Amino acid sequence: MNPLRGRRQWGRRAAVSTGSPAATVEALRILDEGGSAFDAAITASAVMMAALPAASGPAGDVAAVLHEAGTDRWLSLTGLGRAPAGASRDEFLRRGCASVPETGILSAASPGAIDAWYRLHEAHGTMPMDRLLAPAIGLAADGICVSDQNRRWTADNHPVLGQRAMQELYAPYLEPTALGSLMRQPGLAALLTHVAERAAPEVRALVASAVVDVSRELGGLLQHRDLIQDVSRLEPAVSRGCADRTVYTNPAPTQGPVFLQHLALADLLGTGQDLAHRIHLLAEAVNQSYGWRLRHLGDPAQVVVPDALAPETLDALVRRVDPQRRSPSVCQGAYDEGDTTHFVVADAAGNSVSWVQSLGLGFGSGVGVPELGLLLSNRLGRSCTVRASDVNSVAPGRTPVNTIFAWGVAGPDGRAATGGTPGGDGQTQWNMQTVLGLCSEGADLLDVLSRPKWTYYPGADKAEAGEVGEQIWVDAELDPATVRGLGDRGHDVLARPTVGGVTRVVDIGSNAMLVLDDGRQEGLSAAL
C-alpha cells in the first residue's frame, strides 16, 4: 500500500496543511468560525513562527500566491526585506568585507513578514487581527510543545545566535530530553500582541526604534527610515501555460520566474519516457536556468530583469544543454566565499493560499531584539555580494533575490491546485517535478507526491553554490537502473534517505477539496 494514501484528507468546508499540528488546528478553527482562507493564512503564519522559530519569524520574508474563488484572479503577495540605505558596496569594502557577511548584523535586511500580514488583512481579511493572532500569542506566551524537528533545528542553528539573551532563550531546547517540553517565547508574544492591537505605522515605529538601538550597538547599518517603510506588495501573479493548464507564481526578485523557466525548458527539451534520460535533461535545464538567474534575476526596482520566458532566451539556454552528458556547472565557484516553512489553506468558497516564509538560514542573522522575540533575517548576506558586476551586488534599498516562491495551477475545467515547498534552490526543482507531474503528465496528486525526488547541485543561491561538488542527490528508493543511467551520463549520484523539503498541495475540485503532504517533514494535513 502506498504509505501516503492514508495522508490524503478530503473536505468540503476547509483544508489546511502546515508544518505544525498546532498551526493546522488553529487555521481550521478560523475557517470553522467562518473566516476565509486569507484569514486562516495569517493565523497559520504566526503559529508557525512560534512552532519553528529557527525557520521563520516576524522579521523574515514572505511569498504567497492567492486565488480568489469564482474568478480567474491569481495574486502574488510578498513581504521581502530590503538592504539598509547605508548598505553601499563602498561601505562594505571600507569595513574590509570580501563579501556581505552571511550572519550578524551586516547580513540583515529589513523585516517583511508583518507587512505582508497587514497588506493581506487590509485587502481580504474578514476577521479582526486580534482574533487571528490570538492562538500564536497564547502559544508563544504559555509554551508550545517541542517537537523533534523544532529541537533538531534549534540545536543545529543555535551557534548562529550572537546575543546572550537569544542564546539563553533557546538553550533549554538543545538536548533530546527537551522533546515534549514547553518552549516559551515571551518576547514573541509581546510583539504579536502589539501587531494585534495597534495600527501598522505604530508597530513599524516601535520595531524601528528597537532594531535601530540593536543595530547601533552591534555596528550595523539599519536606520529608522529603513524600518518604517511598507515593503509588502500585492499584485497579479506571473504565469505561463503548462499543457492545458496555467501555472501562477510570484514575480522577481523571488525565484518564481526561474521556476517558470524550468517548466518552459522542460517543454522544449521533450524529456521522454526513460527516467534517467528525463532526469538528466531536467537537471541540465536547471543548471542553465540557474546560470540565467545568476546573470539576470535581481530587484526590478533597481535593475532591468529580462523576460525569463522570452523565446530567444529559452532557445539560447536549450542550445547549451548536452542531451547525452552532464555539462559543467555554471554556478560552481560563482561566489568568492535555510530554513523555511510552507503551508497551504483553502476555504469552503474555494479561496486558496500557498504561503512560504523564511528567515533566510536557520535563525537568520542570529541577532535581533530579544524583548520582542525578533530575529532579523540574513537574506542580505545570503543573496548579495560586493562585486560591482553582479546583478545582486549590494546597494542601498535593494531587495535581495529570494529563493522563496509559491505556485498555483488552474485548469480549463475550473479545477485549481496550489502548493509549494521549503528548501533554498531546491524549491524550483522540487516544485517543477510536482507541477510537471500534475500538468504535463496528468498524474493524480497521490502519484506525484509518492515519487522519488532528485536535486541538482550546486544551485545559484549564494549560501549553496560551492558548498557541494557537482552532484545529483536522489531519494534512496530511486531504482538502481535509473541511478546507473545517470552515472552513464556523467552524473555523480548521491543516494540519501530523503531528498527535498516537504511538498504540500491542496487540490480544489467541484465537489470537495483534497489536501496532501508528502511526509518528508513534520506537520499535519487536515480537512473538514
Side-chain angles (χ1 to χ4, degrees):
M1 177 180 173
N2 189 313
L4 296 187
R5 190 179 304 280
R7 299 181 74 90
R8 289 189 298 183
Q9 299 293 310
W10 299 88
R12 296 288 299 274
R13 296 185 289 119
V16 182
S17 180
T18 82
S20 163
T24 297
V25 168
E26 297 298 345
L28 285 172
R29 283 181 175 151
I30 293 295
L31 294 169
D32 198 40
E33 291 175 18
S36 70
F38 311 119
D39 295 316
I42 295 172
T43 297
S45 172
V47 174
M48 285 305 304
M49 293 175 185
L52 287 174
S56 61
D61 297 321
V62 163
V65 168
L66 321 175
H67 181 224
E68 296 181 74
T71 77
D72 59 0
R73 279 168 52 85
W74 289 79
L75 300 174
S76 165
L77 171 69
T78 54
L80 306 177
R82 298 174 183 170
S88 67
R89 175 174 172 270
D90 287 346
E91 178 62 23
F92 280 91
L93 293 174
R94 186 185 68 79
R95 293 177 179 230
C97 297
S99 186
V100 180
E102 187 173 284
T103 59
I105 193 63
L106 292 179
S107 74
S110 61
I114 294 176
D115 283 345
W117 290 347
Y118 281 129
R119 180 61 62 98
L120 179 58
H121 191 256
E122 179 183 11
H124 294 291
T126 68
M127 299 179 72
M129 185 70 89
D130 59 355
R131 170 65 188 96
L132 301 181
L133 296 184
I137 293 169
L139 289 166
D142 301 332
I144 190 167
C145 285
V146 176
S147 67
D148 288 277
Q149 188 171 317
N150 187 356
R151 189 210 66 80
R152 186 173 66 253
W153 287 8
T154 299
D156 289 349
N157 295 290
H158 192 262
V160 170
L161 296 172
Q163 294 161 296
R164 182 179 295 275
M166 288 295 192
Q167 294 166 357
E168 292 176 348
L169 175 63
Y170 294 108
Y173 314 111
L174 304 181
E175 302 300 327
T177 52
L179 289 173
S181 65
L182 291 178
M183 176 182 281
R184 293 184 173 88
Q185 300 166 88
L188 178 61
L191 175 59
L192 295 179
T193 300
H194 289 308
V195 176
E197 297 177 351
R198 301 187 181 191
E202 190 177 356
V203 172
R204 290 192 190 101
L206 181 150
V207 170
S209 177
V211 170
V212 166
D213 286 347
V214 170
S215 181
R216 187 177 296 117
E217 175 188 345
L218 298 178
L221 299 171
L222 286 163
Q223 299 293 327
H224 190 268
R225 57 180 168 164
D226 303 317
L227 298 156
I228 58 172
Q229 301 177 59
D230 178 0
V231 300
S232 67
R233 295 189 65 181
L234 185 62
E235 59 193 322
V238 295
S239 65
R240 78 169 300 271
C242 186
D244 63 345
R245 307 189 193 188
T246 304
V247 182
Y248 298 88
T249 190
N250 306 100
T254 79
Q255 287 196 159
V258 177
F259 162 62
L260 294 183
Q261 191 178 78
H262 288 359
L263 297 176
L265 292 174
D267 284 349
L268 291 173
L269 288 166
T271 51
Q273 298 301 312
D274 179 79
L275 186 56
H277 187 61
R278 177 181 176 80
I279 293 175
H280 165 72
L281 286 179
L282 291 174
E284 286 290 290
V286 165
N287 180 28
Q288 297 305 326
S289 191
Y290 282 165
W292 181 91
R293 184 274 214 206
L294 279 173
R295 295 188 296 272
H296 300 296
L297 188 67
D299 180 0
Q302 294 201 8
V303 299
V304 176
V305 180
D307 181 4
L309 304 177
E312 59 273 21
T313 295
L314 298 176
D315 288 345
L317 296 177
V318 166
R319 286 197 298 270
R320 295 183 181 130
V321 169
D322 186 332
Q324 302 302 327
R325 297 288 298 175
R326 172 163 183 153
S327 303
S329 166
V330 297
C331 297
Q332 191 76 32
Y335 302 101
D336 300 325
E337 300 198 24
D339 288 309
T340 302
T341 61
H342 167 258
F343 62 84
V344 290
V345 181
D347 62 28
N351 299 301
S352 65
V353 178
S354 178
W355 183 292
V356 188
Q357 58 189 34
S358 177
L359 280 171
L361 297 175
F363 283 131
S365 66
V367 297
V369 184
E371 60 268 27
L372 294 178
L374 191 76
L375 279 162
L376 297 166
S377 86
N378 72 328
R379 187 60 64 175
L380 192 71
R382 179 168 180 172
S383 296
C384 290
T385 73
V386 296
R387 199 161 46 201
S389 59
D390 287 350
V391 70
N392 280 286
S393 181
V394 67
R398 176 163 290 175
T399 304
V401 68
N402 206 308
T403 56
I404 65 174
F405 68 94
W407 57 263
V409 172
D413 56 357
R415 194 178 191 97
T418 190
T421 180
D425 272 334
Q427 292 173 70
T428 62
Q429 304 182 57
W430 308 325
N431 284 321
M432 171 188 66
Q433 293 166 51
T434 299
V435 170
L436 285 177
L438 293 174
C439 295
S440 297
E441 300 175 43
D444 70 24
L445 183 58
L446 178 66
D447 177 30
V448 170
L449 294 196
S450 299
R451 298 175 181 179
K453 280 195 175 82
W454 56 268
T455 313
Y456 174 96
Y457 284 100
D461 188 31
K462 181 181 168 186
E464 297 173 13
E467 291 293 319
V468 183
E470 297 184 336
Q471 296 177 330
I472 287 184
W473 292 6
V474 300
D475 281 335
E477 68 264 29
L478 187 66
D479 69 274
T482 298
V483 173
R484 287 194 299 272
L486 289 169
D488 291 344
R489 291 166 173 83
H491 295 280
D492 180 9
V493 183
L494 177 64
R496 296 173 61 89
T498 182
V499 169
V502 57
T503 297
R504 304 181 187 278
V505 181
V506 60
D507 187 2
I508 305 171
S510 57
N511 296 315
M513 297 178 284
L514 165 63
V515 64
L516 177 65
D517 69 90
D518 64 12
R520 291 173 186 266
Q521 292 175 351
E522 290 179 359
L524 176 66
S525 297
L528 300 174

